[in-house]
């Protein structure tokens, strides 16, 4: 009996139903991505594939190109395949691509559980985790916080409590290099047809955890560099069937993930609730009278660090879909808002030149 590889790589009835809309093509799933090439699996084969000329011509945004985890429709001749369609996604993780203004690069698609990894050493940052959580909620995946290298933390209970206050009831897993029950900690999140992905900076131990879950060293790992900075061991994206059930996706280490698309309503539910009590509906929570958010900071009910993190992510999210020129205009508008807008700046400059 021939093993159905699509089942092994987590295919669900939802996508098989979508595939029937394209009877001229074969359903497949993208399981790895390289430079200009993809590795896909069909029911019976594993092969390399590339995008069709028509799909490339019709696609304006990088985010619409296939990503690891995508279900696609292909035709194949021998050991080669051509991708003609990307089926509707359940979820999508993106990051801003280097040198591509206003473009978002797809990282992983159709993820059910997103393990957001942060180590409890110099990598530890509440601002970073707030960013990860916002992006995870926006992606459509369920976030689970993974705090690695817990053996290096002087006060683990305090660190977990801090994360718990910002995580909107997300589960939190702590792991260390000495764990003998690591697989048991992750077992509740893996099941048949479930897709899990590990997201986080380089050097936090994502690949080490995945190797442990897979029961073999399929991903190269390295020691972190000087200054506690991780090295980019994983450069591509790849999916692996997991003995615990379902599949797991390893992603490249990312120092920062752009929050151009981010759901702040859950990660910052406390601020969103306070904002409903502000005097002005378009309150920016900077210097407006009657701002309930600033009042909460003044009364010690809200941490100023958290408000500043919210402001930063909110600004980045407002740039979603804008061109590089439009983003610069929007940044300028924000910059000069406190002095009464661009007209006042021009008036000041004109008066200043007259006095010279």
């Amino acid at each position: 009996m021939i093993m159905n590889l699509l089942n092994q790589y987590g295919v669900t009835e939802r996508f098989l139903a979508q595939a029937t809309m394209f009877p001229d093509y074969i359903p497949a799933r993208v399981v790895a991505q390289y430079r200009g090439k993809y590795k896909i699996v069909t029911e019976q084969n594993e092969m390399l594939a590339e995008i069709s000329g028509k799909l490339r011509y019709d696609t304006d945004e990088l985010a619409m190109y296939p990503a690891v985890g995508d279900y696609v429709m292909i035709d194949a001749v021998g050991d080669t395949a051509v991708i003609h369609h990307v089926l509707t996604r359940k979820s999508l993780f993106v990051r801003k691509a280097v040198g591509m203004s206003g473009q978002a690069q797809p990282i992983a698609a159709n993820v059910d559980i997103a393990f957001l990894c942060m180590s409890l050493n110099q990598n530890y940052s509440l601002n970073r985790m707030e960013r990860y959580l916002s992006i995870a909620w926006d992606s459509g995946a369920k976030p689970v916080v993974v705090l690695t290298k817990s053996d290096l933390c002087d006060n683990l209970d305090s660190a977990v409590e801090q994360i718990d206050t910002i995580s909107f009831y997300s589960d939190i897993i702590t792991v260390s290099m000495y764990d003998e029950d690591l697989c048991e900690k992750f077992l509740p999140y893996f099941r048949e047809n479930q897709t899990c992905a590990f997201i986080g900076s380089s050097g936090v131990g994502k690949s080490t955890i995945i190797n442990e879950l897979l029961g073999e060293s399929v991903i190269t790992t390295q020691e972190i560099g000087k200054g506690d900075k991780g090295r980019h061991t994983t450069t591509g994206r790849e999916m692996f069937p997991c003995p615990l059930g379902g599949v797991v996706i390893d992603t490249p280490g990312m120092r920062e993930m752009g929050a151009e698309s981010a759901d702040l309503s859950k990660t910052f539910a406390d601020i969103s609730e306070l904002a409903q009590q502000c005097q002005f509906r378009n309150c920016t929570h900077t210097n407006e009278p009657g701002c309930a958010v600033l009042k909460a900071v003044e009364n010690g009910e809200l941490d100023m660090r958290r408000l500043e993190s919210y402001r930063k992510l909110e600004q980045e999210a407002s740039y979603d879909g804008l061109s590089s020129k439009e983003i610069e205009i929007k940044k300028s508008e924000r910059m000069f808002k406190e002095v009464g807008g661009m007209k006042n700046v021009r008036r000041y400059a004109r008066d200043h030149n007259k006095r010279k």
Side-chain angles (χ1 to χ4, degrees), residues 249-261:
I249 299 176
D250 186 28
T251 64
M254 291 169 278
R255 292 185 178 89
E256 285 291 351
M257 291 182 69
E260 287 79 5
S261 292

Side-chain angles (χ1 to χ4, degrees), residues 55-330:
L55 179 58
R56 192 181 302 275
Y57 178 79
D58 291 341
T59 303
D60 297 326
E61 300 179 37
L62 277 177
M64 302 310 295
Y65 277 72
V68 171
D70 265 324
Y71 294 95
V72 295
M73 302 305 297
I74 68 159
D75 61 14
V77 179
D79 294 330
T80 62
V82 178
I83 298 173
H84 293 274
H85 299 281
V86 178
L87 298 184
T88 304
R89 291 156 168 162
K90 175 183 178 180
S91 62
L92 178 66
F93 272 90
V94 299
R95 70 172 177 182
K96 193 167 183 178
V98 177
M100 300 293 290
S101 298
Q103 292 278 332
Q105 179 183 22
I107 299 300
N110 300 310
V111 175
D112 298 299
I113 302 291
F115 293 113
L116 309 178
C117 301
M118 185 171 68
S119 60
L120 291 168
N121 49 14
Q122 293 181 30
N123 178 258
Y124 181 78
S125 166
L126 291 177
N127 287 8
R128 179 181 291 111
M129 184 51 66
E130 285 168 340
R131 175 182 294 268
Y132 285 170
L133 285 164
S134 300
I135 295 169
W137 284 120
D138 182 74
S139 77
K142 176 185 176 181
V144 174
V145 177
V146 179
L147 301 177
T148 67
K149 306 183 183 181
S150 61
D151 53 299
L152 301 179
C153 183
D154 294 331
N155 193 335
L156 181 59
D157 290 340
S158 175
V160 171
E161 185 178 352
Q162 287 180 327
I163 295 296
D164 192 42
T165 61
I166 68 170
S167 65
F168 192 73
Y169 307 111
S170 297
D171 292 351
I172 301 173
I173 301 173
T174 61
V175 299
S176 80
M177 62 181 294
Y178 302 109
D179 280 343
E180 296 181 356
D181 61 343
L182 187 139
C183 289
E184 293 180 17
K185 291 183 176 182
F186 287 90
L187 184 59
Y189 306 99
F190 285 86
R191 63 174 183 267
E192 187 178 0
N193 304 124
Q194 183 108 297
T195 298
C196 301
F198 281 78
I199 309 290
S201 304
S202 298
V204 300
K206 301 189 304 295
S207 298
T208 300
I209 294 173
I210 294 174
N211 282 338
E212 189 70 25
L213 296 178
L214 298 179
E216 56 181 321
S217 296
V218 297
I219 306 171
T220 305
T221 60
Q222 293 183 4
E223 295 294 325
I224 60 173
K226 294 180 179 179
D228 206 26
K229 294 181 180 179
R231 300 177 184 177
H232 290 263
T233 305
T234 302
T235 55
R237 275 82 77 188
E238 191 162 1
M239 173 191 294
F240 305 93
C242 183
L244 301 182
V247 293
V248 59
I249 299 176
D250 186 28
T251 64
M254 291 169 278
R255 292 185 178 89
E256 285 291 351
M257 291 182 69
E260 287 79 5
S261 292
D263 183 354
L264 306 185
S265 63
K266 290 187 177 180
T267 308
F268 295 93
D270 51 347
I271 295 179
S272 297
E273 185 175 340
L274 286 167
Q276 295 178 12
Q277 305 170 34
C278 290
Q279 181 176 340
F280 302 104
R281 292 184 61 184
N282 61 344
C283 186
T284 63
H285 320 307
T286 52
N287 54 15
E288 294 91 344
C291 175
V293 175
L294 291 177
K295 184 178 180 181
V297 172
E298 184 180 344
N299 294 339
E301 299 169 6
L302 179 68
D303 190 350
M304 187 63 190
R305 178 214 62 79
R306 184 160 170 78
L307 176 56
E308 290 175 347
S309 176
Y310 170 83
R311 287 172 178 165
K312 181 178 180 181
L313 292 174
E314 184 186 42
Q315 288 182 14
E316 289 185 42
S318 70
Y319 300 150
D320 185 29
L322 300 182
S323 67
S324 57
K325 184 176 181 179
E326 289 170 330
I327 290 174
E328 289 307 312
I329 292 174
K330 200 171 186 71

Side-chain angles (χ1 to χ4, degrees), residues 28-49:
R29 192 171 198 189
V30 178
V31 299
Q33 184 175 349
Y34 314 107
R35 290 179 181 269
K37 293 282 187 180
Y38 302 89
K39 182 165 73 174
I40 63 167
V41 294
T42 63
E43 288 187 353
Q44 300 180 5
N45 296 306
E46 178 182 290
M47 63 188 77
L48 290 178

Side-chain angles (χ1 to χ4, degrees), residues 343-355:
K343 289 183 178 179
N344 282 359
V345 173
R346 294 195 185 102
R347 187 181 301 116
Y348 172 82
R350 184 174 61 249
D351 294 343
H352 181 72
N353 288 334
K354 285 180 180 178
R355 290 195 297 268

